[in-house]
Amino acid sequence: MSNQDILWGIAPIGWRNDDIPEIGKENTLSHLLSDIVVAGFQGTEVGGFFPEPKILNKELNLRNLKIAGKWFSSFIIRDGLEEAAKEFHQHCAYLQEVNASVAVLSEQTYSIQGTEKNVFGEKPYFTDGEWDVLCEGLNELGKIAEQYNLKLVFHHHMGTCVQTLEEINRLMENTDPNHVHLLYDTGHIYVSDGDYMSLLIKHIDRIKHVHFKDSRQEVLNQCKEIGRSFLQSFLNGMFTVPGDGCIDFTEVYQFLLDHNYKGWIVIEAEQDPAIAHPLEYALLTRKYIDEKLLKTKDESLKTNFMKR
Ligand SMILES: O=C1C[C@@H](O)[C@H](O)[C@@H](O)C1=O
Ligand SMILES: [Co+2]
């Protein structure tokens, strides 16, 4: 499989963060999109501050950028499927208008990701009955996504009931592979389980969207020790871009290529933009991708070709 089957994006989260809308609010859409062009990416995901489709499409077309998808917080357990489906229809209609490929969904019932709770020690859990309701609901939302030419990709997330590999396994086993797909986020699974390859290997067939998020090991250790919240952890630098942390993305990328992964890889590293200059980090990770991921692959292709 060649590199051409993969689209590279970078998420707005390094510039502005929907979890704490005040940070980076001086960064405009034009600023963000132009930085993405400067850093050589093909697109992005929709942030909470993005405008209506007509305005967004104009800004994207001017820069030849694409939209991969957008986050959706579902509350299937709290509000019921009917309510979730109503909001999800609107979400998908927006995504279809901006020609996106995926609807990124995270079940946020009982989530502590936006609270002051210790994200390393106070995560919530679903009951068996709630798991059944969630999985059945996701199958229905997946069918809705398809009506808009989208794939529903489930985002496992720190501080939610679907965080660990064990929980992701349960979700995958009890949802329909035709309608519910998986978003693989390297940063979230690493911070949760201390391992990012097992999830990739086990669920490669269900993975239809990828977030490349790296982690600073020493900050992660400190956050765990102190018992920081999710928000305080990333404000203190727990996450960073690939090439700046402890995850070996060469291994991850090679595995994706070897298994014919087609679709987006979106760089997604929430940091405080006042501390981590967004363009500087976008360029840093671009260099890492070019030199360690794309170049290595081209060179191995070249070597294989010469051996023949
Ligand atoms: O994909 C994501 C979207 C964010 O809003 C979220 O909090 C972040 O951690 C993430 O991985
Ligand atoms: Co993510």
Side-chain angles (χ1 to χ4, degrees), residues 257-271:
L257 290 183
D258 290 346
H259 291 80
N260 299 335
Y261 175 75
K262 292 186 182 70
W264 285 91
I265 297 179
V266 176
I267 306 299
E268 190 203 47
E270 54 260 60
Q271 309 194 67

Side-chain angles (χ1 to χ4, degrees), residues 202-248:
K202 185 160 176 65
H203 294 298
I204 183 66
D205 295 340
R206 301 282 294 270
I207 294 171
K208 300 294 173 212
H209 195 55
V210 174
H211 283 171
F212 269 13
K213 195 196 289 290
D214 209 342
S215 180
R216 294 185 178 93
Q217 187 68 58
E218 69 291 358
V219 182
L220 169 59
N221 295 345
Q222 199 189 53
C223 292
K224 271 190 187 165
E225 219 175 282
I226 297 171
R228 284 198 171 117
S229 67
F230 181 70
L231 302 181
Q232 281 304 323
S233 295
F234 81 69
L235 285 176
N236 278 278
M238 179 173 77
F239 293 129
T240 184
V241 295
D244 190 44
C246 59
I247 294 180
D248 178 7

Side-chain angles (χ1 to χ4, degrees), residues 100-111:
S101 333
V102 294
V104 174
L105 183 145
S106 164
E107 174 65 21
Q108 286 289 309
T109 301
Y110 311 134
S111 170

Side-chain angles (χ1 to χ4, degrees), residues 6-276:
I6 291 178
L7 291 163
W8 288 92
I10 188 160
I13 209 161
W15 285 257
R16 285 172 71 154
N17 192 315
D18 290 343
D19 290 342
I20 311 181
E22 310 84 74
I23 70 167
K25 67 174 185 300
E26 65 285 358
N27 292 324
T28 62
L29 178 72
S30 314
H31 175 154
L32 163 72
L33 296 182
S34 295
D35 277 2
I36 291 175
V37 173
V38 171
F41 287 92
Q42 289 157 286
T44 188
E45 289 186 6
V46 175
F49 67 99
F50 278 29
E52 58 174 270
K54 199 169 156 225
I55 297 172
L56 178 57
N57 284 337
K58 169 140 188 161
E59 296 298 325
L60 293 167
N61 289 338
L62 286 168
R63 297 170 176 85
N64 196 23
L65 290 175
K66 294 181 175 64
I67 290 296
K70 183 183 183 189
W71 173 278
F72 179 80
S73 293
S74 68
F75 290 91
I76 297 173
I77 305 297
R78 188 192 71 186
D79 299 341
L81 177 60
E82 205 180 314
E83 187 57 34
K86 217 191 305 161
E87 287 171 26
F88 194 59
H89 267 291
Q90 286 170 12
H91 184 83
C92 292
Y94 179 100
L95 285 177
Q96 189 176 37
E97 281 196 68
V98 298
N99 304 305
S101 333
V102 294
V104 174
L105 183 145
S106 164
E107 174 65 21
Q108 286 289 309
T109 301
Y110 311 134
S111 170
I112 59 159
Q113 93 183 55
T115 74
E116 288 307 310
K117 288 190 175 173
N118 171 3
V119 77
F120 302 97
E122 295 181 75
K123 81 172 282 312
Y125 296 87
F126 289 139
T127 62
D128 289 345
E130 288 170 337
W131 271 106
D132 292 344
V133 172
L134 175 67
C135 293
E136 280 163 30
L138 287 175
N139 287 339
E140 295 312 310
L141 296 188
K143 290 177 202 162
I144 292 174
E146 287 152 24
Q147 293 170 23
Y148 297 88
N149 284 325
L150 297 160
K151 282 190 165 68
L152 181 161
V153 289
F154 189 91
H155 196 315
H156 54 95
H157 202 288
M158 283 299 288
T160 71
C161 297
V162 189
Q163 172 190 305
T164 64
L165 178 57
E166 201 184 328
E167 290 161 345
I168 300 164
N169 288 345
R170 183 164 184 174
L171 189 102
M172 291 293 99
E173 275 158 26
N174 292 289
T175 50
D176 186 339
N178 294 312
H179 305 302
V180 179
H181 312 277
L182 183 63
L183 183 158
Y184 169 60
D185 186 313
T186 53
H188 278 281
I189 195 63
Y190 181 66
V191 165
S192 170
D193 291 19
D195 166 23
Y196 45 87
M197 287 307 290
S198 301
L199 169 57
L200 178 64
I201 294 165
K202 185 160 176 65
H203 294 298
I204 183 66
D205 295 340
R206 301 282 294 270
I207 294 171
K208 300 294 173 212
H209 195 55
V210 174
H211 283 171
F212 269 13
K213 195 196 289 290
D214 209 342
S215 180
R216 294 185 178 93
Q217 187 68 58
E218 69 291 358
V219 182
L220 169 59
N221 295 345
Q222 199 189 53
C223 292
K224 271 190 187 165
E225 219 175 282
I226 297 171
R228 284 198 171 117
S229 67
F230 181 70
L231 302 181
Q232 281 304 323
S233 295
F234 81 69
L235 285 176
N236 278 278
M238 179 173 77
F239 293 129
T240 184
V241 295
D244 190 44
C246 59
I247 294 180
D248 178 7
F249 286 90
T250 61
E251 194 184 2
V252 174
Y253 183 61
Q254 191 59 54
F255 192 87
L256 289 168
L257 290 183
D258 290 346
H259 291 80
N260 299 335
Y261 175 75
K262 292 186 182 70
W264 285 91
I265 297 179
V266 176
I267 306 299
E268 190 203 47
E270 54 260 60
Q271 309 194 67
D272 184 346
I275 298 170

Side-chain angles (χ1 to χ4, degrees), residues 264-307:
W264 285 91
I265 297 179
V266 176
I267 306 299
E268 190 203 47
E270 54 260 60
Q271 309 194 67
D272 184 346
I275 298 170
H277 190 292
L279 179 57
E280 189 182 328
Y281 276 83
L283 290 168
L284 183 160
T285 202
R286 182 75 243 179
K287 191 165 183 286
Y288 174 78
I289 294 165
D290 289 343
E291 292 178 0
K292 300 283 189 236
L293 305 185
L294 303 180
K295 199 162 155 230
T296 313
K297 182 68 190 162
D298 289 347
E299 269 166 10
S300 67
L301 281 175
K302 227 188 299 165
T303 322
N304 287 342
F305 180 73
M306 283 161 71
K307 269 194 216 147

